[in-house]
Amino acid sequence: MPNPPLFSSDELLRYARHLTLAEIGVAGQAKLKSARVLLVGAGGLGSPAALYLAAAGVGTLGIVDSDVVDLSNLQRQVLHDTAAIGEAKTASARRRISALNPHVNVDTFDERLASANAREIIRGYDLVLDGSDNFPTRYLVNDACVMERRPLVYGSILRFEGQLSLFVVPGGPCYRCLFAEPPPADLVPSCADAGVLGVLPGVIGTLQALEAIKWIVGIGDSAAGRLLVFDALQLRVREIAVRRDPACVVCGDHPTLTELIDYEAWCGASQFADAGTAIEVEALALARVLQEAAAPFVLDVREPWEFAVAHLAGSHLVPLGDLPGRLAELPRNREVVTICHHGARSRTACALLVRAGFSPVRSLAGGLDAWARVVDPTMRRY
Amino acid sequence: MQLTINGDARMIDRADTVEQLLHVLGLDPRAVVVELNRQIIRRPAVAATPVAEGDVIEIVHFVGGG
């Protein structure tokens, strides 16, 4: 009995421009169709990557994300639209991908990638594309990819800078060969705290899709062994050679890290070693003490536009950058609680105030985002 | 001292070590990875690694956003 045809006439037409390319053709398109790619994060990087991989005819896309679509995502996360606000990103992604190319199977994981599930999820795919937005997840993805021997298309972004590489291919380096250990958490801001040009993840996420497709089809020179650093403002690309480190703890000749660890704690440990002076207060505890007679002075260190979106009644606004010159506005006979969006800038402010002799000072853990989650659900999140 | 930093020729006064160079450039050693003549200098070695005329240095920032 003859084998059923690989592609329907609809698919042949859909992929016609690929089939015409000698480097892809029917054989390459068949490789794409049988490929399984896991996207960690359906955010700024995951959005363009998912769209281009789906359009290109990658047979199965897995998407891990536990977030819901937020209005502030739409400046760059082109997989989601205004109607999807409040919806799980995985559900929004599935709908959009199916509308773009119904021949793609979409697996959704509406959960955070964690040490308990990472290896099992990653094992089910041929290649992993990292579009996560934090260092604990980046180290987790890298280590799990090394342990499961899955290539990792790395991309990351902040402000106007993007980075791209291909890690964990035979003989090549892994993320830790370059970034052996994480920076103190307060030192490197997130996109939420420092901003990101919306089109930048479009550039880097699209390059990640490009590297994934080249690897699957087996064409061209990959980004393995080199880190591309893209400067959007200068429109320059630097290329830095990265070699596998034989002493790497996870992919070296004698690895000492052979099981996944608690990445939040590990990345947080270096954070605490640095801003050891920052003592945190949980949102619920702060809500209680604000009812008391000797309520603390609440110092909001975000930017004015953020304050305009949402703030605590009675809080005092001094953006972090202005704080060193405006200490005179703060009381010295009363506890100060510093707050920001997610709790990173407020920790820096807290440490700054302690050094300036203020006491006691505490920082709201998780920022106003945590407050909106556990204390005041009516507060506008962004 | 003439150095090539991130592909650009730069004149730098008084930087004997990688740590001093980062200080002159206003960078925190914990927030970057430094390659000196294509060799990555790990964080514990940054203070003790000398910099010399003509060295080629690449500085990569930790970037985690997505």
Side-chain angles (χ1 to χ4, degrees):
Chain A
M1 211 170 84
N3 289 329
L6 259 170
F7 295 106
S8 66
S9 57
D10 176 277
E11 286 172 288
L12 291 173
L13 197 55
R14 178 181 287 268
Y15 304 128
R17 301 295 183 277
H18 272 174
L19 301 175
T20 304
L21 289 171
E23 292 81 356
I24 297 185
V26 174
Q29 195 65 45
K31 287 181 186 168
L32 289 170
K33 186 171 180 170
S34 61
R36 301 173 56 84
V37 175
L38 182 69
L39 300 160
V40 179
L45 294 169
S47 282
L51 290 171
Y52 274 106
L53 292 174
V58 168
T60 302
L61 289 178
I63 299 174
V64 195
D65 203 311
S66 64
D67 277 352
V68 296
V69 179
D70 183 90
L71 181 56
S72 67
N73 298 153
L74 302 184
Q75 161 257 22
R76 63 199 178 285
Q77 301 184 14
V78 295
L79 195 53
H80 314 294
D81 57 35
T82 309
I85 291 169
E87 188 180 7
K89 284 187 179 175
T90 48
S92 166
R94 174 193 292 278
R95 196 175 58 245
R96 184 73 189 283
I97 291 167
S98 299
L100 173 60
N101 188 348
H103 303 290
V104 177
N105 300 313
V106 182
D107 307 333
T108 56
F109 302 88
D110 189 7
E111 57 194 299
R112 254 186 105 84
L113 198 72
S115 300
N117 62 13
R119 289 186 68 169
E120 193 183 336
I121 292 175
I122 284 173
R123 200 176 297 147
Y125 294 86
D126 304 317
L127 173 138
V128 178
L129 194 144
D130 185 7
S132 63
D133 62 358
N134 62 84
F135 289 108
T137 305
R138 289 190 177 281
Y139 282 95
L140 166 66
V141 170
N142 178 73
D143 295 356
C145 282
V146 171
M147 291 170 194
E148 296 298 333
R149 296 196 176 85
R150 294 295 186 272
L152 169 61
V153 187
Y154 161 76
S156 68
I157 49 165
L158 186 69
R159 298 193 184 103
F160 298 96
E161 181 181 316
Q163 299 182 353
L164 175 86
S165 193
L166 176 62
F167 292 127
V168 202
V169 297
C174 79
Y175 180 70
R176 280 182 191 263
C177 294
L178 178 61
F179 298 111
E181 53 178 295
D186 296 343
L187 213 54
V188 178
S190 68
C191 291
D193 287 331
V196 61
L197 185 71
V199 73
L200 179 66
V203 174
I204 301 298
T206 304
L207 287 174
Q208 287 180 278
L210 171 69
E211 285 305 296
I213 288 169
K214 282 163 55 190
W215 184 84
I216 292 163
V217 178
I219 52 173
D221 293 328
S222 83
R226 46 195 175 136
L227 177 77
L228 267 60
V229 179
F230 176 70
D231 179 338
L233 279 183
Q234 305 298 323
L235 198 63
R236 274 178 51 172
V237 180
R238 269 198 294 149
E239 191 178 312
I240 294 148
V242 183
R243 283 181 299 271
R244 178 175 162 274
D245 180 359
C248 176
V249 294
V250 66
C251 82
D253 295 340
H254 306 285
T256 53
L257 207 158
T258 54
E259 280 179 25
L260 299 179
I261 58 174
D262 180 344
Y263 291 86
E264 296 280 351
W266 182 60
C267 290
S270 50
Q271 158 185 348
F272 246 96
D274 183 52
T277 44
I279 297 168
E280 294 196 311
V281 54
E282 299 294 327
L284 280 174
L286 178 62
R288 275 196 304 275
V289 296
L290 284 178
Q291 306 296 324
E292 293 170 4
F297 181 87
V298 179
L299 174 68
D300 190 326
V301 299
R302 297 174 302 152
E303 298 300 313
W305 73 266
E306 300 178 87
F307 194 80
V309 173
H311 62 266
L312 287 189
S315 58
H316 186 83
L317 176 69
V318 180
L320 181 60
D322 300 341
L323 189 57
R326 291 177 60 183
L327 295 177
E329 294 173 32
L330 310 178
R332 289 207 175 250
N333 54 355
R334 196 173 156 195
E335 181 182 11
V336 177
V337 172
T338 57
I339 64 176
C340 67
H341 189 199
H342 287 116
R345 282 173 288 177
S346 61
R347 289 177 61 90
T348 305
C350 182
L352 192 152
L353 292 184
V354 169
R355 281 198 300 275
F358 287 84
S359 178
V361 188
R362 288 190 290 175
S363 166
L364 173 60
L368 278 183
D369 204 51
W371 179 276
R373 247 186 357 258
V374 302
V375 177
D376 180 7
T378 67
M379 175 174 269
R380 189 85 190 266
R381 292 174 71 181
Y382 62 99
Chain B
M1 175 169 53
Q2 173 114 5
L3 300 173
T4 302
I5 301 175
N6 296 347
D8 295 326
R10 297 270 300 264
M11 284 302 292
I12 300 286
D13 311 329
R14 310 195 61 76
D16 298 330
T17 66
V18 172
E19 186 176 55
Q20 287 172 19
L21 173 66
L22 292 175
H23 184 74
V24 168
L25 297 173
L27 298 171
D28 188 319
R30 299 165 303 171
V32 295
V33 167
V34 180
E35 252 192 28
L36 175 66
N37 302 326
R38 299 173 65 93
Q39 201 68 45
I40 290 178
I41 308 300
R42 295 291 172 210
R43 220 178 284 168
V46 160
T49 304
V51 179
E53 178 76 28
D55 278 347
V56 177
I57 290 147
E58 292 284 349
I59 299 169
V60 182
H61 288 262
F62 274 91
V63 169

